[in-house]
Amino acid sequence: MAWHRPKFLPRREHSAPLPADLTQLGESQLALALCHRDGRIRQEAVRQSVRHPGLLPLVVIRCADWVGPVREHARQLLREAMNVDSALDLAPLILRVGRRDRGAFGVDVLGQILRQATCGQLAVLFSDPDRIVRRFAYRLAIEGQLLDPAELARAAAGDQDTVVQDLCATAALTALGDEGAYEDVLPPLLSARNPRTRSAGVTALRRAGRSEQAQPFLRDRSALVRACARYVVRQQGGDPAAWYRERCTVADDPELPPGAVIGLAECGNRADAGLLRPLLVHPSAGVRARAVAGLRALDCVDVKQLRPLLDDPAAGVVREAAAALLPSAKELPADWLSERTSSERPRHVRVGAFRLLDTCGGIVALRAAVGLLEDPDMKLRTWAAQSVQRWHPSPDGRRGDAEVGELLDRSQHLFSDYILRRRKWEAGLDIAGAGLAAP
C-alpha cells in the first residue's frame, strides 16, 4: 500500500505533532487525527473514535476516504454506531457525502436505519432547507406508507421543490384508488401555488367524477394547467375552444382573464385571430400581452398593428411585441427604433427596441449597440457591449464605410488591438495597417 506524503506539512503538525499512540488522545485531538494526511493515522483514529459519538460526522466523511482500509473501518463503525436519532442528525451530511465517489454506502445505511423511524421522527427532515434531504425523507415516507393521502397532498402544495411536488401529488392520488376520499385531497392540490401540483389535481378531477370543476381552470395562468383542463373538459364532451371564444368576444370586458386569451390561441385556429386583434387595446396589460402572444402562436402577426405596442407602458406587452416582431425586424424603420433607445425612454422600451435592432445586424446593430454603451442601466450596457464584441459586417453591407470605423474606434476598449484591426479589415477598412493579408 502506497501512502500519500505531501512535501509540505500543515502548520499544526509542526507545532503540535500527534503522538505515536492515539489511545490517549481526547476528542479534539482525534478529530485532527481523522483529518490527518497520513492514511495509517486516519485508520487508527477511526478505530479510536468509537469512544466519542461526537466524531460521527467525521467518520461519515471517512466512509468515502480514498484509502481502502480507512474506508472499511469507518463504514463498520458507522453501521454499528448509528441509530435513528443520530441518523436524523447526520442525514444532510450523509446525503451530501453521498454525491462523491464511494459515497453511496452511507446513503444505503441511512435508508436502512430511517426505514425504522416513525412519521413523527421523519417529519424533522420534511422541513430541511436542503431539497435533497426532503426528497430522501418523502421517498422513505411514501415507501413506508407513513403519510395519508391528505398529508401528501398538503406536502405537494406546500413544498417549493418540483421533485417533491411530483412525488407527493402522485403518491396522494395513487393511494386514493378509484373510490378515495377526494374531498380531502383535491382542494390542496387545486389551490396549490405551483402549476405542477395544480395540474395533477385538475387531471384527477376526471377520475373523481368531477369533470365539471375543471372548466374554471381553462383560464389558469399556467399553460400546463390549461392543457390538463382542456383534456378533462374534452373527455366530458365539452368544447374548450368554444368556451374561450365566448369569453374573448367582448373586447372591452374588464374581467377578461389573460389565461382565456392565450388559451384561445392554444386550441383555436387562424380564424380566431379576429377575436384577438381587438384585445391589443384592452385596458388590462395582461390581456394585451397574451393577445400578442396568441397572434404570434397563430402565425397571424401584423407588423403595423403590433408596432405601436413597442411604446406600451407595460414591460410585459413590449416584451411580447418585440418577440413577435423579431422575424420582421428589418421591415421596421431603423431610425424609428433608434429613437426608442434614447435614455429618455423607459427601460423596457429601450430593451425592446435594441432587441429588434440587434437582430437586424450590420451597421444598424453596431450603431445601436455603441449608442447604448453609456446607457444608465447596467444590464443593457453589458448586453450592448457583448453585441459590439460579437459584431461582424453583414455580407450585403457596404465595405469601407467610414461610420463603421468611427463606431469601432468609440468601442475600442472592448477589443484587443489585434481584434479591432481584424474587425476593420473585415469591414474593408485599414487593410494596410491591419497587419493581415488581404484575401
Side-chain angles (χ1 to χ4, degrees):
M1 177 72 67
W3 301 92
H4 179 59
R5 295 180 180 274
K7 182 177 180 181
F8 300 104
L9 298 180
R11 182 179 300 175
R12 66 173 181 272
E13 294 186 30
H14 286 292
S15 59
L18 293 170
D21 183 8
L22 302 186
T23 59
Q24 304 302 317
L25 293 184
E27 184 173 351
S28 59
Q29 289 180 304
L30 272 179
L32 291 176
L34 284 167
C35 303
H36 199 275
R37 62 187 174 83
D38 192 322
R40 288 168 294 191
I41 294 178
R42 294 200 303 276
Q43 180 181 343
E44 181 60 25
V46 169
R47 290 197 188 99
Q48 300 302 324
S49 296
V50 70
R51 298 181 281 113
H52 301 283
L55 295 177
L56 267 181
L58 288 175
V59 173
V60 169
I61 296 174
R62 295 281 71 85
C63 286
D65 198 282
W66 70 277
V67 177
V70 178
R71 191 166 62 244
E72 294 306 318
H73 281 84
R75 291 177 176 182
Q76 181 180 353
L77 175 57
L78 184 68
R79 189 187 294 112
E80 296 172 352
M82 195 161 60
N83 54 34
V84 171
D85 291 334
S86 60
L88 292 170
D89 293 334
L90 293 171
L93 175 62
I94 291 175
L95 292 172
R96 182 169 292 275
V97 174
R99 304 174 201 175
R100 299 181 179 180
D101 291 339
R102 302 177 294 271
F105 173 85
V107 179
D108 292 340
V109 173
L110 180 67
Q112 293 170 16
I113 293 176
L114 289 185
R115 284 183 180 89
Q116 306 166 21
T118 64
C119 183
Q121 290 173 313
L122 272 182
V124 176
L125 303 183
F126 294 158
S127 58
D128 193 277
D130 189 339
R131 62 184 178 180
I132 303 298
V133 176
R134 299 200 304 277
R135 293 174 186 177
F136 186 83
Y138 276 115
R139 285 192 178 103
L140 289 179
I142 292 169
E143 178 187 325
Q145 298 181 346
L146 301 179
L147 296 171
D148 62 40
E151 290 173 322
L152 288 167
R154 288 194 293 270
D159 202 280
Q160 298 301 310
D161 181 53
T162 56
V163 174
V164 172
Q165 294 164 14
D166 289 343
L167 276 173
C168 294
T170 302
L173 296 173
T174 301
L176 281 175
D178 294 328
E179 301 294 335
Y182 284 94
E183 63 274 6
D184 296 328
V185 173
L186 287 179
L189 298 181
L190 293 174
S191 61
R193 183 176 182 180
N194 52 79
R196 299 177 71 91
T197 303
R198 287 203 308 281
S199 66
V202 170
T203 305
L205 287 171
R206 178 170 175 259
R207 194 175 68 175
R210 306 180 184 185
S211 297
E212 69 282 354
Q213 295 182 17
Q215 197 171 74
F217 291 93
L218 290 171
R219 62 183 185 182
D220 195 272
R221 62 182 181 273
S222 165
L224 175 61
V225 177
R226 292 194 300 269
C228 292
R230 288 196 292 270
Y231 164 77
V232 175
V233 170
R234 288 192 186 104
Q235 293 301 308
Q236 192 190 19
D239 184 1
W243 187 91
Y244 287 129
R245 291 184 185 112
E246 181 181 351
R247 273 140 193 84
C248 294
T249 300
V250 183
D252 57 351
D253 180 9
E255 302 298 323
L256 178 62
V261 179
I262 189 62
L264 176 59
E266 290 168 343
C267 69
N269 52 53
R270 290 173 61 88
D272 293 314
L275 291 175
L276 296 180
R277 290 191 180 101
L279 300 177
L280 295 175
V281 294
H282 193 276
S284 168
V287 171
R288 296 198 302 275
R290 298 302 181 275
V292 175
L295 290 171
R296 180 186 175 199
L298 293 173
D299 194 21
C300 293
V301 172
D302 186 318
V303 176
K304 291 183 179 180
Q305 279 188 324
L306 296 190
R307 176 177 163 179
L309 293 178
L310 290 174
D311 290 321
D312 197 277
V317 178
V318 175
R319 183 166 54 248
E320 291 291 349
L325 290 171
L326 279 178
S328 309
K330 293 185 178 181
E331 298 178 23
L332 295 169
D335 292 342
W336 183 84
L337 286 175
S338 297
E339 291 175 7
R340 277 142 188 81
T341 62
S342 66
S343 58
E344 291 82 16
R345 301 280 182 167
R347 179 189 182 278
H348 64 273
V349 173
R350 302 201 305 275
V351 169
F354 179 57
R355 186 178 179 188
L356 293 165
L357 288 167
D358 191 43
T359 301
C360 293
I363 191 171
V364 171
L366 181 62
R367 187 186 298 128
V370 173
L372 287 171
L373 290 178
E374 297 181 358
D375 191 88
D377 183 76
M378 184 185 69
K379 289 186 177 180
L380 193 49
R381 289 199 307 270
T382 302
W383 183 17
Q386 292 171 345
S387 176
V388 173
Q389 288 173 326
R390 66 172 179 264
W391 181 85
H392 291 275
S394 57
D396 56 347
R398 182 165 62 92
R399 293 180 60 79
D401 191 337
E403 185 183 2
V404 172
E406 179 187 348
L407 292 171
L408 289 175
D409 286 337
R410 285 173 56 188
S411 55
Q412 61 182 345
H413 61 284
L414 300 174
F415 301 101
S416 67
D417 291 341
Y418 172 79
I419 294 298
L420 182 60
R421 292 197 304 270
R422 180 81 187 187
R423 290 289 185 276
K424 289 183 175 182
W425 174 74
E426 290 176 0
L429 300 164
D430 196 23
I431 294 179
L436 300 167

